[in-house]
Amino acid sequence: MDTREDFNRTVQLLSALALYAHTYGADPAFVDAIGPALAVSLPEPPPGIFPPGYDPTDGPQYPGGQP
């Protein structure tokens, strides 16, 4: 499996979990356990996903955020 396929599959699983979390009868303990595990397993984004020079820490300060 190549990096791009692994990244896309993990993003799809996270998306499906987000949809499940908002369905009637969803198990919040399952979502709380699986969500972080999927997020941690998210590999480094393949080249070309973000524009050159993209910095995820750059941007406006949000209320309650770090100064």
Side-chain angles (χ1 to χ4, degrees):
M1 179 181 317
D2 70 15
T3 304
R4 186 173 297 275
E5 184 181 350
D6 190 33
F7 180 82
N8 289 338
R9 185 174 299 187
T10 306
V11 169
Q12 288 173 349
L13 288 169
L14 282 165
S15 298
L17 183 66
L19 287 173
Y20 168 74
H22 289 89
T23 61
Y24 179 76
D27 181 355
F30 175 78
V31 174
D32 289 345
I34 300 302
L38 279 173
V40 164
S41 73
L42 194 62
E44 183 80 20
I49 295 290
F50 298 111
Y54 175 77
D55 180 4
T57 62
D58 189 25
Q61 293 295 317
Y62 293 96
Q66 297 293 328

